[in-house]
Amino acid sequence: QVQLVESGGGSVQAGGSLRLSCATYGIIYSTLYMGWFRQAPGKEREGVAGFESNGRTIYADSVKGRFTISKDNAKNTLYLQMNSLKPEDTAMYYCAASYNGYALTRLRPPPDGYWGQGTQVTVSS
């Protein structure tokens, strides 16, 4: 069983920055795929950032050049550095994990994955 706990959300003005963290607990194998998603009110959950099978980072077009995903394997923690935030980035942000990488390597919600409780990001204009 894998537990994910996000933190780092908050309220910022447009142009500001936030760094989200996702701590992973439980029995973790190195083949665990991970990624970040977000969901705004009235909208579907969308993939924000993740990794391809070769470790290359992938991003949604809307965040390219502004967000950076990284991970610290020693700490079992996933990060999302968010710069130049815009009001349209306002959403609940979730990290997801799965040992089946098909969905996550395409920034799609994993049907058999693990999810954190989410952390709210609010960007005001």
Side-chain angles (χ1 to χ4, degrees):
Q1 187 71 10
V2 175
Q3 293 88 41
L4 307 174
V5 180
E6 301 99 333
S7 62
S11 297
V12 296
Q13 290 189 329
S17 298
L18 285 172
R19 187 194 195 204
L20 306 184
S21 299
C22 174
T24 308
Y25 301 94
I27 299 175
I28 310 299
Y29 297 99
S30 60
T31 53
L32 186 68
Y33 292 88
M34 299 188 72
W36 286 100
F37 291 77
R38 68 185 181 186
Q39 188 166 20
K43 295 187 177 181
E44 293 186 357
R45 190 168 296 189
E46 64 171 343
V48 174
F51 300 92
E52 293 181 336
S53 297
N54 59 10
R56 178 182 175 185
T57 55
I58 49 177
Y59 298 94
D61 289 343
S62 58
V63 307
K64 281 181 181 177
R66 301 188 297 120
F67 290 12
T68 302
I69 188 173
S70 61
K71 55 184 176 179
D72 185 331
N73 291 327
K75 295 182 179 180
N76 287 330
T77 301
L78 183 73
Y79 301 100
L80 184 68
Q81 178 66 44
M82 305 186 296
N83 298 328
S84 301
L85 283 162
K86 304 176 181 180
E88 50 263 45
D89 295 318
T90 295
M92 185 71 80
Y93 283 71
Y94 301 89
C95 66
S98 174
Y99 287 107
N100 184 336
Y102 182 84
L104 281 175
T105 55
R106 293 161 176 79
L107 289 184
R108 297 174 187 169
D112 57 349
Y114 305 95
W115 293 87
Q117 81 289 350
T119 186
Q120 178 68 38
V121 172
T122 302
V123 184
S124 59
S125 57

